[in-house]
Amino acid sequence: VTPRTATATAAKSDLSRDAIVERALSVMDTEGPDAVTIRRLAQEFGVTPMALYWHVANKEELLAAMGDALLAGVRPPPATGPWHAQLRGVVEVLIAELSRHPAAAELALPRMLMSEPGLRLAEFTLTLLTQLPGAESQAAMAERDALQARKRAHLESLPAEVYPHVRDAADVLTNCDDESAYYGFGVDLYIEGAQAILRRQRRTG
Amino acid sequence: VTPRTATATAAKSDLSRDAIVERALSVMDTEGPDAVTIRRLAQEFGVTPMALYWHVANKEELLAAMGDALLAGVRPPPATGPWHAQLRGVVEVLIAELSRHPAAAELALPRMLMSEPGLRLAEFTLTLLTQLPGAESQAAMAERDALQARKRAHLESLPAEVYPHVRDAADVLTNCDDESAYYGFGVDLYIEGAQAILRRQRRTG
DNA sequence: ACCTGAACACCGTTCAAGT
DNA sequence: ACCTGAACACCGTTCAAGT
């Protein structure tokens, strides 16, 4: 009679960082954000709550790891067609991945410029856009200055050989000295897009 | 010696729903989301935690009310110029308001289609866009089907005289039968916008 | 290296009771 | 109508200790 089988639920895989993150995602998917607690995940593995702290520093780090796991799952489709078709491709794959874990989606966006999987995606997107500066999501737009300072510091420490475009765009991506210019780009993006679609609707419809 | 002055902090305004919401926003602004707890707000007013439950059903309702307060603060600038200039105007005012309460920004977006202040804003925006269907934020895009069903039911119960455009667009705003079409619109918006800005850059730069 | 046990300082919320 | 007191069932996390 091993002590584990007494308390462990159905799937009694070994405890590990990846296993915890994966289980946390599935708990969040099925039971919502409030259900993912350290204690709950512990009993999911038939283990003491404190056992998790060996694999994960704290809950904040766990949530970040969940976001990174989503982004790591976004693999761009094979490159065919013009740049905007490829761009549409990655965005659609990203949306598909976020749709598979709706409640965890908002964990992914703030990680885009702060983690390896996120930066891989950003670098790929910026490669397609070449000289066009990047536009952040609305959620990212509303983030604190402190966090943005950390982001910039982090971006500036990146190796230029691996992330050339991200580094080039670091200023635009984090600069908030001129807020109106920063937000203005996102607004322009929306307006121009709406106008273009309106024109097309008039043509075809 | 009244018992209140003994425990109340500096500003000892009377307890009320609006006062609680306002104080919650300022606590969130200055000390972050984790600091806004029922117990903390109670001692902010020099009162027992349970006192708040007379004015607010639970914490979830409090957070929703905070989001609504932000949206209620978004007043469109005087209408001048073409429709896209006016649209840019509201969006900029919205962004300005969200910037004043960065940590609370994400409370506002999910309330856009669920509260009176949000619907007022949506109606105004859709009036400008006229026949153009509305595009939701990425955060809203990732919401659950259950919530979308509630939204639709809520939208369909609205008086057609007050919210004609919102009602007309209810289908597009909540329909997820064809996910790809729903998300595709947002993607088109982004792509077309990026292309338009690229063209303009080539012309002027 | 990996996990346990006991404890601390918190949460949101209910329910009966006061005024 | 509006607030209190005591209690319940939870949290995340630390710290010393086990194997």
Side-chain angles (χ1 to χ4, degrees), chain B residues 24-167:
Chain B
L25 279 174
S26 86
V27 167
M28 184 171 266
D29 288 342
T30 58
E31 302 179 45
D34 291 351
V36 24
T37 71
I38 298 287
R39 295 172 122 98
R40 163 63 191 276
L41 289 172
Q43 85 179 16
E44 201 81 17
F45 285 95
V47 104
T48 256
M50 282 53 76
L52 299 210
Y53 284 92
W54 179 260
H55 305 276
V56 132
N58 48 38
K59 189 172 182 183
E60 190 181 347
E61 190 188 290
L62 171 60
L63 294 173
M66 291 167 67
D68 292 346
L70 288 200
L71 293 176
V74 178
R75 308 281 285 278
T80 55
W83 69 268
H84 62 267
Q86 292 186 46
L87 178 56
R88 189 184 308 257
V90 225
V91 175
E92 282 172 349
V93 171
L94 171 62
I95 289 173
E97 187 67 13
L98 296 181
S99 299
R100 292 181 52 230
H101 307 277
E106 63 191 24
L107 299 176
L109 302 179
R111 299 294 296 166
M112 282 248 45
L113 299 177
M114 290 296 282
S115 69
E116 201 279 327
L119 285 165
R120 248 193 41 241
L121 234 177
E123 183 63 28
F124 180 83
T125 301
L126 290 176
T127 303
L128 292 178
L129 289 171
T130 49
Q131 73 273 48
L132 191 64
E136 278 193 298
S137 77
Q138 264 194 351
M141 275 163 54
E143 276 174 352
R144 312 282 255 266
D145 283 55
L147 212 151
Q148 272 156 348
R150 277 174 50 212
K151 273 186 183 168
R152 167 171 294 178
H154 183 235
L155 289 174
E156 278 168 1
S157 75
L158 291 177
E161 319 88 58
V162 190
Y163 300 111
H165 296 94
V166 168
R167 278 194 52 122

Side-chain angles (χ1 to χ4, degrees), chain A residues 6-205:
Chain A
T7 46
T9 61
K12 41 162 279 194
S13 50
D14 286 333
L15 198 57
S16 75
R17 196 174 211 270
D18 288 347
I20 293 170
V21 169
E22 188 194 10
R23 194 64 136 263
L25 279 173
S26 86
V27 168
M28 184 170 265
D29 288 343
T30 58
E31 302 178 46
D34 292 350
V36 23
T37 71
I38 298 287
R39 294 172 122 98
R40 163 63 191 276
L41 289 172
Q43 87 180 12
E44 202 80 16
F45 286 95
V47 104
T48 256
M50 282 52 73
L52 299 210
Y53 283 92
W54 179 260
H55 305 275
V56 131
N58 47 38
K59 190 172 183 182
E60 192 181 344
E61 190 187 291
L62 171 60
L63 294 173
M66 291 167 68
D68 292 347
L70 289 201
L71 293 177
V74 179
R75 307 281 285 275
T80 54
W83 69 268
H84 63 268
Q86 292 187 45
L87 178 55
R88 189 184 310 256
V90 225
V91 175
E92 282 172 350
V93 172
L94 172 61
I95 289 174
E97 186 68 14
L98 295 182
S99 299
R100 293 182 52 229
H101 307 278
E106 61 193 23
L107 299 176
L109 302 179
R111 298 293 296 166
M112 282 248 45
L113 298 178
M114 290 295 282
S115 70
E116 200 279 326
L119 285 165
R120 247 194 41 243
L121 236 177
E123 183 63 29
F124 181 84
T125 301
L126 291 176
T127 302
L128 291 178
L129 289 171
T130 48
Q131 72 275 48
L132 193 65
E136 276 193 298
S137 76
Q138 265 195 346
M141 274 164 54
E143 277 174 351
R144 314 282 254 265
D145 283 57
L147 212 150
Q148 272 155 349
R150 277 174 49 213
K151 273 186 182 168
R152 166 170 295 178
H154 184 235
L155 288 175
E156 279 167 359
S157 76
L158 291 177
E161 318 86 59
V162 190
Y163 301 112
H165 297 94
V166 167
R167 276 194 54 121
D168 279 356
D171 236 58
V172 182
L173 289 170
T174 61
N175 178 32
C176 267
D177 296 345
D178 187 352
E179 277 198 42
S180 63
Y182 182 77
Y183 292 150
F185 177 75
V187 176
D188 282 343
L189 202 62
Y190 181 88
I191 304 296
E192 299 278 8
Q195 285 181 308
I197 289 178
L198 229 192
R199 279 196 297 273
R200 192 169 49 183
Q201 264 194 344
R202 286 220 192 86
R203 272 204 314 272
T204 65

